[in-house]
Amino acid sequence: MRAFLAILRRDIALGFRQGGTAGLALGFFGLVVLLFPLGIGPERETLGRIAAGVLWIAALLAVLISLDRLFQADHEDGSLELLALSPLPLELVVLAKLAAHWAACCLPLIALAPVLGLMLNLPPTAIPGLITALLLGTPTLSAIGAIGAALAVGVRRGGFLLSLLVLPLYVPVLIFGAGATEAAISGLGLAAHLLILAALAVASVGLSPIAAAAALRLSLE
Amino acid sequence: MAANLHWFANPTRFLRLARVVLPVAAALGLICFAAGLYDALVLSPIDYQQKDSVRIMYIHVPAAWLALGVYTGIALMSAVALVWRHPLADLGAKAAAPLGAGFAAICLATGSIWGLPTWGTWWVWDARLTSMLILFFLYLGYLALWQAYDDPERAARAAGILAIVGAVNVPIVKFSVDWWNTLHQPASVFTLSGPKIDPSMLRPLLLMTGGYVCFFLVVLILRMRAEIAARRVRALRLARVEG
């Protein structure tokens, strides 16, 4: 347990320090959202209608670009091998790293999302629903992403590969996440969407460390 | 079960079996395609609403079935390869993947051509179209992962992990997309109450499916043979360099 917490603390600290994923992902998230009004036009009704989808797509892309460093940096400086040699099972190492990734990359996005939502003319009443949906949906993004990141470790042009591997698997989160936010905007019940997002999060966080650890062992041979 | 699998793990035995299966599958495939195409294009009735465009179905539907079936096959072969270190299962999965991607592409292209006269548009963001498109991208990711590694052993295991993760996820993707939006008709051949399609249309459809399956088997065997030969060449070259 101590080793688990140590990895968690180390990765969160690394995420927030200079050059960490947190700041970069946040900046990317804001910029992608900024592109939509410029590309589509500043009409407030149009923006309000697409706000939910835009925020979800931007969050998904921000998580995607941050995944590249999830295991790659540790692989390059050799600390991944030390982590694999530690008495802590590799599955738990992966779980600690993906929890840290969620805390350092997804939580700041969730904090920024309401602000960007208001800028996109999202009704203020929909903000609690948006935040809940993001809180329940982003763990799945980190978990599925960890599998892709582990498979792309040590591969040339791993970043490109990563997006091809991971994005098709993100589809359910996007559908139910954007669906929940749409439901929150229109004032309909969003419980069903949120329950499915929670189910996906539980299943993916539980299962993905096994697959990601198997993929990491491959890169350590 | 495991014993049977290991019996097939020997490449020489596989090659001997392939020599028997290949001509049979090729002949059967030719017969199925000839009979199926004649039946589909000449004998089968035209649809009262769609007129002749209904004949696209005989190309489109088997491709869709095969695209899904081949992905399932790849996932099963990957599981067998990871659990039992079965060398031929890896080869089979690798050889099947471009075929599956091809079937998905045929399905998307013919579906789009069929969509124009019947729905009045090339493409709609409907559940079935979207999930087939996602399946196509899954195939591309799987193929890209095979290409990414230099060492075939590592590539095989990485691709195997991806195929199994995908197999867990494909039903979820499918259902999420199904609930999202739909225009495509629901399943009409594999239903609990039996096929809901007229026998005069079902017959050419099944013949064409038989042709597709035989075509898949023939190309699969050819590709696996080529891959076995390539690995032998690689092993011999390495042996010569070392010796």
Side-chain angles (χ1 to χ4, degrees), chain A residues 144 147 150-156 161 164-165 168-169 171-172 175-176 196 200 207 211-212 214-221, chain B residues 134 137-138 140-142 144-145 147-150 153-154 157-159 161-162 165-166 168-170 172-173 175-177 179-180:
Chain A
I144 294 176
I147 303 174
L151 283 170
V153 161
V155 170
R156 277 167 281 116
L161 184 67
L164 201 54
L165 300 184
L169 303 179
V171 166
I175 289 176
F176 292 114
I196 290 176
L200 289 174
L207 292 176
L216 281 181
R217 282 199 192 95
L218 202 59
S219 71
L220 294 170
E221 273 169 12
Chain B
I134 295 169
F137 280 118
L138 280 172
L140 290 190
Y142 180 82
L145 196 58
Q147 305 277 318
Y149 289 90
D150 294 328
E153 290 279 312
R154 278 185 64 194
R157 282 169 57 199
I161 293 171
L162 180 70
V165 171
V168 175
N169 225 306
V170 163
I172 301 176
V173 173
F175 283 117
S176 67
V177 173
W179 292 332
W180 167 61

Side-chain angles (χ1 to χ4, degrees), chain A residues 26-136:
Chain A
L26 211 54
F28 185 82
F29 182 54
L31 275 171
V32 171
V33 170
L34 166 81
L35 293 178
F36 278 88
L38 296 179
I40 289 167
E43 293 84 18
R44 290 176 58 76
E45 289 83 66
T46 321
L47 288 179
R49 237 203 55 65
I50 61 168
V54 167
L55 286 172
W56 269 97
I57 292 170
L60 207 128
L61 293 176
V63 172
L64 181 71
I65 57 152
S66 70
L67 288 173
D68 197 22
R69 306 308 296 166
L70 186 55
F71 300 114
Q72 189 69 28
D74 284 349
H75 177 70
E76 280 162 9
D77 66 12
S79 44
L80 192 62
E81 279 166 36
L82 287 178
L83 288 174
L85 288 174
S86 77
L88 194 65
L90 195 54
E91 283 79 8
L92 286 181
V93 174
V94 172
L95 188 63
K97 287 187 75 71
L98 83 84
H101 174 265
W102 183 75
C105 172
C106 300
L107 272 185
L109 295 187
I110 298 172
L112 185 64
V115 181
L116 293 174
L118 290 177
M119 288 167 72
L120 288 175
N121 198 27
L122 193 73
T125 48
I127 300 281
L130 171 72
I131 293 177
T132 322
L134 281 169
L135 279 173
L136 289 172

Side-chain angles (χ1 to χ4, degrees), chain B residues 1-2 42 68 88 103 109-110 142 184 187 200 204 222 236:
Chain B
M1 170 77 181
V42 183
L68 286 168
L88 276 177
F103 288 132
T110 53
Y142 180 82
H184 196 293
S200 62
L222 289 178
L236 286 175

Side-chain angles (χ1 to χ4, degrees), chain B residues 61-72:
Chain B
V61 173
W65 286 343
L66 265 272
L68 286 168
V70 170
Y71 193 87
T72 318

